[in-house]
Amino acid sequence: MTRTLLIALVLSCSASLAYAQSCNIQASDKKLAGAAKTSFLTKCEKDATAACDKQAADKKLAGAAKTSFTKKCVTDAVGG
Protein backbone atom coordinates (compact mmCIF):
# COMPACT_ATOMS: atom_id res chain seq x y z
CA MET A 1 0.00 0.00 0.00
CA THR A 2 2.82 2.40 0.87
CA ARG A 3 4.53 1.61 -2.41
CA THR A 4 1.34 2.37 -4.34
CA LEU A 5 0.93 5.74 -2.62
CA LEU A 6 4.57 6.59 -3.24
CA ILE A 7 4.16 5.79 -6.92
CA ALA A 8 1.00 7.92 -7.03
CA LEU A 9 2.83 10.87 -5.50
CA VAL A 10 5.70 10.60 -7.96
CA LEU A 11 3.29 10.38 -10.88
CA SER A 12 1.23 13.31 -9.64
CA CYS A 13 4.31 15.52 -9.65
CA SER A 14 4.96 14.70 -13.29
CA ALA A 15 1.29 15.19 -14.19
CA SER A 16 1.20 18.69 -12.74
CA LEU A 17 3.94 19.71 -15.18
CA ALA A 18 1.52 19.13 -18.05
CA TYR A 19 -0.32 22.35 -17.24
CA ALA A 20 1.62 25.47 -18.17
CA GLN A 21 -0.62 27.73 -16.09
CA SER A 22 -3.30 27.08 -13.53
CA CYS A 23 -6.91 27.97 -14.25
CA ASN A 24 -6.78 30.80 -11.70
CA ILE A 25 -3.71 32.33 -13.34
CA GLN A 26 -5.31 32.07 -16.78
CA ALA A 27 -8.48 33.77 -15.47
CA SER A 28 -6.39 36.58 -13.97
CA ASP A 29 -4.38 36.99 -17.17
CA LYS A 30 -7.64 37.29 -19.12
CA LYS A 31 -8.91 39.81 -16.52
CA LEU A 32 -12.09 37.81 -16.02
CA ALA A 33 -14.50 38.69 -13.23
CA GLY A 34 -17.95 37.74 -12.00
CA ALA A 35 -19.97 35.27 -14.03
CA ALA A 36 -17.38 35.09 -16.82
CA LYS A 37 -14.68 34.06 -14.33
CA THR A 38 -16.97 31.52 -12.67
CA SER A 39 -17.90 30.01 -16.03
CA PHE A 40 -14.26 29.88 -17.14
CA LEU A 41 -13.12 28.25 -13.89
CA THR A 42 -15.93 25.67 -14.02
CA LYS A 43 -15.03 24.66 -17.58
CA CYS A 44 -11.32 24.66 -16.80
CA GLU A 45 -11.87 22.39 -13.78
CA LYS A 46 -14.01 19.98 -15.83
CA ASP A 47 -11.33 19.87 -18.53
CA ALA A 48 -8.62 19.29 -15.91
CA THR A 49 -10.64 16.49 -14.30
CA ALA A 50 -11.08 14.76 -17.64
CA ALA A 51 -7.37 15.11 -18.47
CA CYS A 52 -6.31 13.86 -15.03
CA ASP A 53 -8.70 10.90 -15.21
CA LYS A 54 -7.22 9.99 -18.58
CA GLN A 55 -3.68 10.25 -17.20
CA ALA A 56 -4.65 8.01 -14.27
CA ALA A 57 -6.15 5.47 -16.67
CA ASP A 58 -3.06 5.59 -18.90
CA LYS A 59 -0.95 4.86 -15.82
CA LYS A 60 -3.33 2.02 -14.88
CA LEU A 61 -3.99 3.49 -11.43
CA ALA A 62 -6.91 2.22 -9.38
CA GLY A 63 -8.42 2.68 -5.95
CA ALA A 64 -6.67 4.99 -3.50
CA ALA A 65 -3.75 5.60 -5.85
CA LYS A 66 -6.10 6.83 -8.59
CA THR A 67 -8.08 8.99 -6.18
CA SER A 68 -4.93 10.55 -4.72
CA PHE A 69 -3.38 11.13 -8.14
CA THR A 70 -6.53 12.66 -9.63
CA LYS A 71 -7.19 14.92 -6.64
CA LYS A 72 -3.65 16.33 -6.67
CA CYS A 73 -3.60 16.64 -10.46
CA VAL A 74 -6.87 18.60 -10.54
CA THR A 75 -5.82 20.80 -7.60
CA ASP A 76 -2.56 21.65 -9.32
CA ALA A 77 -4.33 22.40 -12.61
CA VAL A 78 -6.97 24.61 -11.03
CA GLY A 79 -4.46 26.38 -8.83
CA GLY A 80 -6.16 25.81 -5.52
Side-chain angles (χ1 to χ4, degrees), residues 9-64:
L9 288 174
V10 170
L11 293 175
S12 66
C13 291
S14 64
S16 64
L17 298 176
Y19 295 95
Q21 291 183 322
S22 72
C23 296
N24 286 323
I25 291 172
Q26 290 178 37
S28 294
D29 289 349
K30 293 180 181 195
K31 297 180 174 38
L32 298 176
K37 182 177 181 180
T38 302
S39 176
F40 175 81
L41 290 175
T42 300
K43 182 182 182 319
C44 191
E45 184 174 358
K46 285 180 184 177
D47 293 345
T49 301
C52 292
D53 282 341
K54 183 179 182 326
Q55 288 177 13
D58 290 346
K59 296 174 190 306
K60 297 180 180 8
L61 297 177

